[in-house]
């Protein structure tokens, strides 16, 4: 879609100052505000009575609508001063490959598919141990003031810099020291994220022949799609995706048959075996050509993702389940929860990363998306709107976790060392927490989804799957709970594996690029030996972390998930630091609070959490305190539960020390970036601004609407513009 | 079903189809053909064109988030 034209009756005008809102608009937004306020009041004030989960859903939707309408618009107009007379990189540098003017709704789809994954599904499930209220507040307030702001502002600044990446912008706008620290942090954080995501898959598939069979089949299905698109009918993506989705559903159904057959024993894999499978898969997938596995798998997982989210929203409204969890549990104040240790502050804010504030999005908002944006004003819809949608996914996941029986929730999410692994011991353990569930009920729950056992199925995915299966079978009937459970497991595993594929490949390119600065040959991504070495290093890095997590006697998820959450939030700190820096350099010190407040909050949260994880003398929280406790016991010849022998004691000491060192290193890297930035802030604030790498204004010829729905004026402008140069359309439908 | 409703359904279906073809990149081929025709160039075959597109993706990996 080329976009240049000599005659332009309606060059993108600067956004006109808005006329006074009409009476209809005032009434509408007052109503939205009122409904939202009522929902929030019900959630905040109800204690000990039945509360419908729909209050959570509608509190979220009303809050999002208001934030999008008012705050995001304020940021676009006043803070960023988006300027539609400026040509975006997509218009100026259009090459039909990575720079290209794209329809805003299509780009929204691409951007959302890139940012949303398993994170917003897993974090809220784990955070449900604090009760439904802390998670709900953080997901909604966090996205409005922090997450969506970060995504939108980073996107805007990257658009003004030809789509430069976060790392490049930090180096050029903050300094070399900060740039190098950011580069290392980005790489390390990516490894942790991949390891934790893979751990979620391993925990979901271990001892589950149904799951292993269906997920295993996704590989031949993806290969078939790849070959179909390459050789049989090139380019027919929709057709092959439809075939793929049908095959996928068949694979889930077939998994149920396998479950009861002789094959089941062969497919009952231990966690250690699954780690080896995943590592081998990750390596092979990242060196194979993308058309074979990665691209078709990406089509499948994106369609499944959007489909399940839509289904869940409909299912929730129909089933209107009642919340079973308390508003705020005692674990929130005492910090002794079995799912993860620590009090509501700071730990709920790092456990729920994606969905409220996710630093990883800054990597998508800089780099790919800005090169496709038609108009600057669309940063609001793509950046802010895309993140609101992810937040909605997170709220839905939280709802799924708080509507299931809470005795079951704790039986599933407490580590095996605590529950003892049997229905009797789990029921006893849950009773000690103050919840009641009988061994029979636990066995019945497992039987309902046709799993051997649901005890200590940590990682979030099985709990979410159980919640979804309950909502779906209530909403749609038919007694298909086992199918829905495995459908949900499959859909999570599918896009985690896609993230692992893509992440490994991106990590490999980063490594090749970085090492290529020193050793030129290594930087050549078509050099096979280099590719293999780089892939092996990346897979080895996340694979070993994964192994550490899987074999951890203390339970991998509760040990590693905080590390993942903090790492993701620290990346957000780097991104928000860049946003503050750029606003000050552009002479907009008075608006620096917009990314400044989330930055301050994020730093308080992550630094408190890091401090506690490193220095706390409570062995349940501090990694080093934990290592010390086990080391002393080991040296005295004791074995501390949940470790069962001396080698497990060694393992705990090693794992905790490793996690502690990583935690400290991440925090220090971020402090280096922030310290470097503060120097620039002071300098820029004194000078009233500093030169930046922003590209100069080039007049735009493209005409495209700013928001999801074009206004009457925008439609008219589009029509006039299209008439002026024939049938060709840009940034909109014919 | 009244004629008006039928038209609306028809438009909605067309819209969804348009969206899916755009999002998956399936419609890129027609755009390419149109561009070739306008520029008066002989287009390559669909097989060559799609291969060219996937090969570009090979060196331009896109991260998928968590």
């Amino acid at each position: 879609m080329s976009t240049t034209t000599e005659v332009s009756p309606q060059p993108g005008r600067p956004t006109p100052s808005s006329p006074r809102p009409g009476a209809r608009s005032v009434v509408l937004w007052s109503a939205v505000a009122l409904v939202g306020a009522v929902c929030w009041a019900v959630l905040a004030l109800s204690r000990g009575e039945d509360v419908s989960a729909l209050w959570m859903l509608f509190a979220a939707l009303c809050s999002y609508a208001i934030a999008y309408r008012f705050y995001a618009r304020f940021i676009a107009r006043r803070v960023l001063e988006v300027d539609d007379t400026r040509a975006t990189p997509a218009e100026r540098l259009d090459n039909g490959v990575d720079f290209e003017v794209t329809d805003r709704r299509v780009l929204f789809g691409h951007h959302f598919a890139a940012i949303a994954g398993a994170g917003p599904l897993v974090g809220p499930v784990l955070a449900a141990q604090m009760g439904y209220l802390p998670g709900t507040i953080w997901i909604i307030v966090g996205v409005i003031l922090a997450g969506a702001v970060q995504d939108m502002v980073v996107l805007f600044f990257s658009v003004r810099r030809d789509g430069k990446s976060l790392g490049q912008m930090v180096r050029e706008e903050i300094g070399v020291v900060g740039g190098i620290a950011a580069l290392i942090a980005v790489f390390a954080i990516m490894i942790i994220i991949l390891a934790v995501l893979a751990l979620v898959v391993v925990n979901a598939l271990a001892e589950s022949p149904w799951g292993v069979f269906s997920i295993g089949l996704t590989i031949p299905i993806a290969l078939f799609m790849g070959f179909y698109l390459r050789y049989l009918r090139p380019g027919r993506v929709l057709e092959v995706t439809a075939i793929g989705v049908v095959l996928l559903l068949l694979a889930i159904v077939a998994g149920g048959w396998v479950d009861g057959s002789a094959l089941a024993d062969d497919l009952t894999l231990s966690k250690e075996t699954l780690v080896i499978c995943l590592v081998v898969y990750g390596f092979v997938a990242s060196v194979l050509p993308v058309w074979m596995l990665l691209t078709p798998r990406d089509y499948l997982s994106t369609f499944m993702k959007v489909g399940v989210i839509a289904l869940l929203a409909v299912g929730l409204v129909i089933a209107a389940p009642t919340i079973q969890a308390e508003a705020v549990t005692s674990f929130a104040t005492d910090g002794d929860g079995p799912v993860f240790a620590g009090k509501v502050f700071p730990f709920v804010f790092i456990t729920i990363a994606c969905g409220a504030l996710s630093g990883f999005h800054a990597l998508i908002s800089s780099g790919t998306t800005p090169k496709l944006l038609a108009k600057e004003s669309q940063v609001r819809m793509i950046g802010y709107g895309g993140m609101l949608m992810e937040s909605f996914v997170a709220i839905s996941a939280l709802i799924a976790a708080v509507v299931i029986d809470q005795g079951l929730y704790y039986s599933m999410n407490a580590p095996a060392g605590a529950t003892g692994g049997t229905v009797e011991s789990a029921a006893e353990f849950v009773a000690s927490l103050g919840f009641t569930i009988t061994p029979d009920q636990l066995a019945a729950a497992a039987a309902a989804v046709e799993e051997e056992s649901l005890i200590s199925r940590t990682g979030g995915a099985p709990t979410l799957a159980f919640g979804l299966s309950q909502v779906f079978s209530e909403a749609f009937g038919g007694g298909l709970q086992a199918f829905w459970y495995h459908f949900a497991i499959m859909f999570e595993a599918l896009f985690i594996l896609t993230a692992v594929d893509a992440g490994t490949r991106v990590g490999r390119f980063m490594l090749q690029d970085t090492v290529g600065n020193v050793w030129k040959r290594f930087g050549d991504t078509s050099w096979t030996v280099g590719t293999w070495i780089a892939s092996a290093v990346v897979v080895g890095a996340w694979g070993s972390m994964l192994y550490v997590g899987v074999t951890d006697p203390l339970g991998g998820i509760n040990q590693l998930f905080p590390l993942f959450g903090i790492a993701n939030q620290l990346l957000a700190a780097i991104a928000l630091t860049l946003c503050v820096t750029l606003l000050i350099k552009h002479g907009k010190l008075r608006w620096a609070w917009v990314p400044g407040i989330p930055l301050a909050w994020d730093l308080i949260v992550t630094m408190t959490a890091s401090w506690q994880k490193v220095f706390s003398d409570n062995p349940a929280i501090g990694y080093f305190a934990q290592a010390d406790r086990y080391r002393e016991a080991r040296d005295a010849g004791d074995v501390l539960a949940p470790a069962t022998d001396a080698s497990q004691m060694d393992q705990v000491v090693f794992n905790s020390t490793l996690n502690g060192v990583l935690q400290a290193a991440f925090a220090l890297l971020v402090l280096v970036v922030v310290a470097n930035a503060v120097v620039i802030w002071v300098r820029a604030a004194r000078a009233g601004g500093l030169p930046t790498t922003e590209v100069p204004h080039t007049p735009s010829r493209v005409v495209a609407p700013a928001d999801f729905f074009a206004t009457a004026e925008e439609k008219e402008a589009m029509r006039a513009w299209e008439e002026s140069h024939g049938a060709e359309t840009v940034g909109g439908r014919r | 079903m009244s004629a008006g409703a039928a038209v609306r359904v028809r438009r909605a279906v067309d819209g969804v189809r348009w969206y899916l073809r755009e999002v998956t990149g399936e419609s890129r081929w027609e755009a390419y053909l149109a561009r070739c025709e306008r520029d008066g160039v002989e287009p390559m075959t669909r097989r060559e064109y799609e291969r060219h597109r996937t090969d570009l993706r090979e060196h331009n990996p896109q991260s998928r988030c968590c």
Side-chain angles (χ1 to χ4, degrees):
Chain A
M1 282 200 269
S2 147
T3 61
T4 35
T5 163
E6 293 311 311
V7 206
S8 175
Q10 279 282 3
R13 288 159 301 147
T15 332
S17 59
S18 50
R20 270 182 188 289
R24 250 181 65 189
S25 164
V26 172
V27 170
L28 174 74
W29 288 103
S30 306
V32 173
L34 192 68
V35 174
V38 169
C39 292
W40 275 113
V42 170
L43 287 179
L45 301 177
S46 301
R47 290 291 182 277
E49 57 231 80
D50 282 353
V51 181
S52 166
L54 291 184
W55 295 110
M56 276 168 77
L57 203 65
F58 285 98
L61 290 175
C62 293
S63 306
Y64 297 157
I66 289 177
Y68 183 78
R69 168 65 179 75
F70 296 98
Y71 191 49
R73 195 160 102 139
F74 158 79
I75 295 175
R77 293 188 172 191
R78 305 289 299 277
V79 179
L80 302 178
E81 295 181 276
V82 297
D83 179 0
D84 279 346
T85 66
R86 255 176 193 270
T88 58
E91 182 180 354
R92 281 185 297 111
L93 307 173
D94 191 349
N95 59 9
V97 185
D98 45 354
F99 289 93
E100 187 168 40
V101 174
T102 307
D103 181 277
R104 65 199 189 286
R105 293 156 297 191
V106 172
L107 183 57
F108 182 85
H110 286 166
H111 183 77
F112 178 70
I115 63 171
L121 297 173
V122 174
V125 171
L126 302 181
Q129 83 158 347
M130 300 295 190
Y132 65 83
L133 201 51
T136 307
I137 295 176
W138 168 234
I139 290 172
I140 298 174
V141 177
V143 75
I144 289 172
L145 296 179
V149 175
Q150 172 206 264
D151 289 16
M152 174 177 171
V153 177
V154 168
L155 177 59
F156 172 78
F157 283 129
S158 183
V159 165
R160 285 268 171 110
R161 282 160 187 76
D162 288 347
K164 278 189 186 138
S165 71
L166 182 72
Q168 269 175 311
M169 287 194 283
V170 171
R171 192 171 61 236
E172 290 172 4
E173 303 286 358
I174 295 180
V176 178
V177 178
I180 292 172
L183 189 70
I184 300 172
V186 167
F187 186 74
I189 287 165
M190 204 148 85
I191 298 294
I192 296 289
I193 288 178
L194 291 178
V196 172
L197 289 180
L199 182 57
V200 171
V201 173
V202 167
N203 283 356
L205 295 188
E207 318 297 335
S208 167
W210 186 335
V212 168
F213 181 78
S214 338
I215 297 299
L217 274 186
T218 62
I219 298 172
I221 293 174
L223 284 172
F224 164 75
M225 291 170 63
F227 278 89
Y228 189 97
L229 279 177
R230 184 85 170 178
Y231 297 106
L232 292 178
R233 286 171 60 76
R236 270 66 162 207
V237 181
L238 281 182
E239 171 184 307
V240 80
T241 306
I243 299 175
V245 169
V246 170
L247 290 175
L248 212 57
L249 294 177
L250 282 179
I252 302 173
V253 175
W257 305 331
V258 167
D259 205 23
S261 77
L263 261 177
D265 280 347
D266 299 323
L267 291 173
T268 306
L269 302 181
S270 70
K271 290 185 178 176
E272 287 80 358
T273 317
L274 282 166
V275 171
I276 296 169
C277 297
L278 266 182
V279 165
V280 170
Y281 168 79
F283 178 78
V284 173
S286 79
V287 296
L288 280 183
V290 284
W291 63 264
M292 242 186 240
L293 206 54
L294 192 137
T295 309
R297 183 190 269 295
D298 205 26
Y299 290 132
L300 275 186
S301 71
T302 306
F303 273 90
M304 287 284 281
K305 193 187 307 181
V306 176
V308 172
I309 292 165
L311 209 58
L312 179 58
V314 175
L316 280 175
V317 173
I318 297 178
T322 306
I323 299 176
Q324 304 292 326
E326 295 165 49
V328 183
T329 62
S330 66
F331 307 129
T333 43
D334 301 341
D336 55 354
V339 183
F340 60 93
K343 295 183 184 178
V344 66
F345 178 85
F347 288 102
V348 90
F349 304 101
I350 54 157
T351 305
I352 302 178
C354 308
L357 169 63
S358 170
F360 217 78
H361 294 185
L363 303 182
I364 317 272
S365 289
S366 62
T368 319
T369 306
K371 295 176 183 159
L372 303 170
L373 199 75
K375 281 277 142 194
E376 281 193 357
S377 55
Q378 292 170 356
V379 296
R380 172 175 167 226
M381 167 186 167
I382 310 281
Y384 204 94
M387 182 63 192
L388 287 181
M389 181 119 151
E390 165 151 311
S391 179
F392 177 73
V393 176
I395 279 285
S396 307
L398 181 60
I399 292 178
V402 298
V403 299
I404 66 174
D405 183 283
Q406 292 302 288
L408 179 63
Y409 172 84
Y410 287 102
S411 309
M412 289 181 81
N413 286 290
T419 59
T422 66
V423 283
E424 289 80 15
S425 58
E428 240 171 77
F429 168 74
V430 167
S432 76
L433 297 176
F435 298 93
T436 37
I437 189 161
T438 63
D440 289 347
Q441 285 170 319
L442 282 171
V449 294
E450 294 180 32
E451 281 286 288
E452 194 66 34
S453 157
L454 288 176
I455 310 302
S456 291
R457 300 298 301 272
T458 57
T463 310
L464 178 73
F466 192 88
L468 291 187
S469 69
Q470 188 177 307
V471 170
F472 286 167
S473 49
E474 249 173 66
F476 308 123
L480 293 171
Q481 196 171 1
F483 172 81
W484 288 122
Y485 176 87
H486 289 95
F487 176 79
I489 292 279
M490 149 81 98
F491 121 95
E492 285 181 90
L494 188 67
F495 61 65
I496 289 183
L497 289 183
T498 311
V500 167
D501 278 11
T504 304
R505 200 174 277 266
V506 170
R508 182 194 111 195
F509 274 68
M510 270 165 79
L511 194 65
Q512 284 178 292
D513 189 44
T514 310
V515 176
N517 290 327
V518 196
W519 175 22
K520 213 154 173 57
R521 176 113 200 243
F522 199 74
D524 173 12
T525 50
S526 49
W527 184 40
T528 317
V529 181
T531 300
W532 284 52
I533 296 174
S535 297
V537 170
V538 174
V539 173
W542 65 253
S544 49
M545 281 303 289
L546 171 62
Y547 191 77
V548 164
V550 161
T551 56
D552 197 316
L554 301 179
I557 278 290
N558 57 8
Q559 289 286 87
L560 279 186
F561 205 84
L563 193 60
F564 159 75
I566 297 176
N568 201 350
Q569 302 293 55
L570 285 171
L571 193 53
I574 294 179
L576 288 166
T577 301
L578 176 74
C579 296
V580 172
T581 308
L582 281 171
L583 282 178
I584 301 179
K585 283 177 101 172
H586 281 293
K588 296 180 178 177
L589 180 61
R590 69 191 185 114
W591 297 128
W593 59 266
V594 170
I597 289 175
L599 173 61
W601 172 252
D602 187 37
L603 283 175
I604 292 170
V605 166
T606 49
M607 290 303 151
T608 313
S610 303
W611 182 268
Q612 291 189 8
K613 287 310 257 183
V614 173
F615 294 110
S616 168
D617 51 14
N618 175 359
I621 298 176
Y623 285 124
F624 291 112
Q626 195 171 54
D628 284 345
R629 177 159 174 259
Y630 280 79
R631 191 180 298 113
E632 278 161 23
R634 181 194 62 189
D635 294 346
D638 292 339
V639 173
L640 291 180
T644 49
D645 56 34
S647 77
Q648 287 204 341
M649 293 294 286
D650 286 338
Q651 215 165 11
V652 173
V653 172
F654 173 80
N655 293 358
S656 305
T657 311
L658 175 69
N659 294 346
V661 169
L662 285 173
Q663 184 73 77
F666 287 157
L668 285 175
L669 283 172
V670 172
L671 287 179
V672 167
V673 178
V674 175
N676 195 170
V678 170
V679 175
I680 306 290
W681 296 352
V682 172
R683 218 186 285 160
R686 280 200 185 135
L690 283 177
T692 77
T693 56
E694 183 174 279
V695 296
H697 181 290
T698 309
S700 170
R701 295 190 165 111
V702 168
V703 177
D707 216 332
F708 290 94
F709 301 101
T711 61
E713 292 154 33
E714 283 172 336
K715 277 187 187 150
E716 176 55 29
M718 291 279 296
R719 200 190 52 75
W721 182 64
E722 273 162 26
E723 263 175 17
S724 75
H725 57 298
E728 192 195 350
T729 57
V730 175
R733 273 171 71 195
R734 228 167 279 207
Chain B
M1 195 164 29
S2 72
V7 168
R8 268 200 297 278
V9 169
R10 179 76 209 250
R11 283 189 50 152
V13 170
D14 282 353
V16 170
R17 189 162 166 274
W18 167 84
Y19 188 77
L20 291 176
R21 285 173 53 80
E22 286 286 325
V23 160
T24 53
E26 194 166 317
S27 58
R28 300 296 297 267
W29 168 244
E30 283 98 50
Y32 167 75
L33 285 183
R35 196 159 60 238
C36 286
E37 196 182 351
R38 200 175 54 240
D39 300 346
V41 230
E42 184 70 20
M44 46 180 141
T45 65
R46 179 137 197 199
R47 188 172 297 257
E48 283 165 348
Y49 176 74
E50 298 292 348
R51 191 160 293 197
H52 174 70
R53 279 190 61 214
T54 39
D55 292 346
L56 284 174
R57 207 172 306 168
E58 187 72 45
H59 296 285
N60 214 349
Q62 205 200 347
S63 195
R64 282 288 182 255
C65 184
C66 29

